[in-house]
Amino acid sequence: MHRNALRPAALLATGAALIAAAPAPGPAPDAAQLRSTIEALVGFGTRHTLSSATDPKRGIGAARRWAAKRFEAIGRTCGNCLTVETIGRDFTGPRAPGGVRVEDVIAIQKGSGDPDRVIIIQGHIDSRVTDVMNITADAPGANDDASGVALTIEAARLLSKRKFAGTIVYAALSGEEQGLWGGTLLAETAKARGWKIAAVLNNDIVGNTHGIGGEHITNRIRIFSEGIRSSADLPGLKAQRAIGMEDDSPSRAVAKAVLRVAAARPDIGLEVVAVRRPDRFGRGGDQTPFQEAGFPAVRFSEPAENYDRQHQDLRTANGKRYGDTIDGVDFAFLARVTALNVAVAAELADAPAAPHDVTIAGALSADTTVKWAAVPGAAGYRVRWRRADGQMWTDSRDVTGTTLVLNNVNIDDHFFGVAALAANGAESIVTFAGAAPR
């Protein structure tokens, strides 16, 4: 096999050299900034989606306006590089039978090269207690999900200091607890605006390190992704099955990109556990509407959840404290999860679009030919392959053309994919290779 083979001189001498050419990591996330954001969000009492939208100090409306002001302040420090909007529409469902206007606060950092290619970093700003219809009780939601919103705002502060070819959207979503409505709203907006979404990084419950079983885990993060695409029709499902693509959907490709970036950044100090489910068992999050709309999306969640601190009334019973309060957030851990989000978003925003029309041929042959369509702005391509009994890419070769013949790499025994490379080494997600149309 041709592991880490040399690329043409026009690209760079070796894969290692290309990676070394990438920009150095920027400033690290600030745990104090993360704490300050969560303290502010907890200070609104409740952020229930059906709470007051007009009260200046308490409720979802005050929290959303505060988030918009934070994005605006960050935008001013980068020469107004962020366009801050509040988008919304009405939703009705079992958890809002009278209907409610759901609004998302988004900040758009427009790309300089391919602005329609979008990476989204998001968390949900709404909170709840035991009774999902209780809109008056204090619902601090420090970890679920002020941690995700704090991460998103801190990512905006750090990434806005740089320029990228692609666009990054930072989003504080509402309505998650009532029906994933904020995610639905933003996915609808993305489709209406023609965004070509490269990845959605949904951060939900990302600040706690003490599990309900007594675990204390500070060096691990879970990434959830779908394998079989929820957006596929029956012919699409059959095609996915026919080529063995169950572990290589676009969302799964994003999860593998997170694994790759984490491995390349040991300074972040996080092991990524790529869970091969769309979400926790029987549960869901705001990545789901994006997947249903056909966009690649993953969920970040802490490695050991404490259910006594999720969706609970604030109380003490039998000597045990319940409730999602700020003392349950590990800010050093949250800073590491933020750093990983920032690194992944920067990589994908720097990279060209993922290749399309990636095909393989070579049945009844010792060799495999991989072909793909040229990607505008790509400096080269990384062809990846692995044995068909594995899940992670193990071998690669970098080229500048759009065809590669792999000698003595049997098509039946391997899976193949192609990523596009920027001149600085940034790599897109991998597009899985299928059969050429007949």
Side-chain angles (χ1 to χ4, degrees):
M1 293 185 182
H2 305 273
R3 186 186 301 269
N4 298 325
L6 297 183
R7 68 163 55 82
L11 189 54
L12 277 176
T14 66
L18 184 58
I19 292 171
D30 187 342
Q33 290 273 1
L34 294 164
R35 174 183 284 275
S36 176
T37 297
I38 293 179
E39 286 175 343
L41 292 173
V42 168
F44 292 108
T46 180
R47 304 187 306 277
H48 193 288
T49 299
L50 276 68
S51 63
S52 174
T54 57
D55 190 298
K57 295 182 178 180
R58 181 180 177 86
I60 187 71
R64 288 190 297 235
R65 289 188 292 275
W66 180 89
K69 289 179 181 178
R70 282 292 296 123
F71 283 134
E72 289 166 356
I74 291 169
R76 286 193 292 272
T77 67
C78 61
N80 298 316
C81 71
L82 300 182
T83 300
V84 181
E85 302 180 41
T86 298
I87 59 174
R89 76 167 176 87
D90 293 337
F91 286 82
T92 303
R95 294 184 176 185
V100 63
R101 181 170 176 81
V102 169
E103 294 183 343
D104 295 338
V105 179
I106 62 174
I108 303 171
Q109 182 177 342
K110 190 172 182 179
S112 58
D114 186 6
D116 287 337
R117 183 168 52 82
V118 174
I119 295 89
I120 297 176
I121 304 176
Q122 64 183 31
H124 72 85
I125 201 169
D126 57 302
S127 64
R128 59 165 286 193
V129 290
T130 306
D131 179 0
V132 71
M133 300 305 294
N134 185 339
I135 69 173
T136 59
D138 281 349
N143 191 38
D144 184 13
D145 184 33
S147 65
V149 175
L151 180 157
T152 299
I153 291 173
E154 180 67 354
R157 187 181 72 84
L158 296 173
L159 289 169
S160 62
K161 301 176 186 296
R162 296 173 52 185
K163 295 186 183 300
F164 299 96
T167 292
I168 304 177
V169 174
Y170 312 95
L173 310 177
S174 301
E176 194 270 354
E177 302 290 7
Q178 306 309 112
L180 310 182
W181 290 336
T184 299
L185 172 61
L186 188 53
E188 291 173 347
T189 301
K191 273 194 173 296
R193 297 187 182 186
W195 291 352
K196 301 170 185 174
I197 293 185
V200 177
L201 310 180
N202 184 47
N203 290 272
D204 195 349
I205 313 180
V206 288
N208 165 62
T209 55
H210 293 271
I212 197 167
E215 314 95 321
H216 182 212
I217 305 172
T218 63
N219 64 343
R220 193 181 306 157
I221 188 70
R222 293 180 296 172
I223 306 296
F224 294 86
S225 62
E226 66 174 5
I228 300 297
R229 299 186 69 177
S230 57
S231 64
D233 56 12
L234 184 57
L237 292 173
K238 288 182 176 179
Q240 192 171 354
R241 174 181 175 275
I243 61 175
M245 192 185 174
E246 293 89 342
D247 199 57
D248 291 274
S249 69
S251 294
R252 193 63 50 83
V254 173
K256 292 180 181 182
V258 175
L259 281 161
R260 175 175 57 78
V261 171
R265 290 288 308 276
D267 57 299
I268 293 176
L270 282 178
E271 173 194 0
V272 173
V273 178
V275 183
R276 283 163 168 78
R277 283 190 181 127
D279 209 308
R280 289 86 35 87
F281 188 77
R283 301 162 77 185
D286 278 318
Q287 75 281 1
T288 303
F290 288 93
Q291 293 168 349
E292 291 173 345
F295 296 129
V298 299
R299 174 182 180 139
F300 288 69
S301 274
E302 63 203 26
E305 296 180 61
N306 187 336
Y307 309 116
D308 291 341
R309 289 186 171 272
Q310 294 177 16
H311 300 174
Q312 294 286 347
D313 292 335
L314 301 179
R315 68 194 191 281
T316 299
N318 299 319
K320 181 182 289 189
R321 288 182 59 204
Y322 294 84
D324 189 358
T325 51
I326 196 167
D327 59 304
V329 178
D330 182 331
F331 291 98
F333 172 75
L334 179 56
R336 287 194 286 277
V337 182
T338 304
L340 182 56
N341 270 260
V342 166
V344 172
E347 170 93 1
L348 297 180
D350 262 339
H356 60 91
D357 297 333
V358 181
T359 63
I360 49 175
L364 308 177
S365 169
D367 307 330
T368 298
T369 299
V370 188
K371 294 184 178 182
W372 58 95
V375 176
Y381 304 92
R382 182 160 292 152
V383 179
R384 292 188 176 272
W385 67 98
R386 67 179 189 266
R387 268 181 27 171
D389 61 347
Q391 296 171 331
M392 298 303 298
W393 302 112
T394 57
D395 294 79
S396 66
R397 183 184 289 184
D398 294 344
V399 299
T400 54
T402 57
T403 300
L404 177 64
V405 178
L406 293 169
N407 297 319
N408 294 316
V409 181
N410 187 277
I411 197 171
D412 294 323
D413 297 335
H414 298 85
F415 291 138
F416 305 84
V418 182
L421 301 173
N424 69 358
E427 180 178 348
S428 75
I429 65 172
V430 175
T431 301
F432 193 74
R438 295 182 179 179

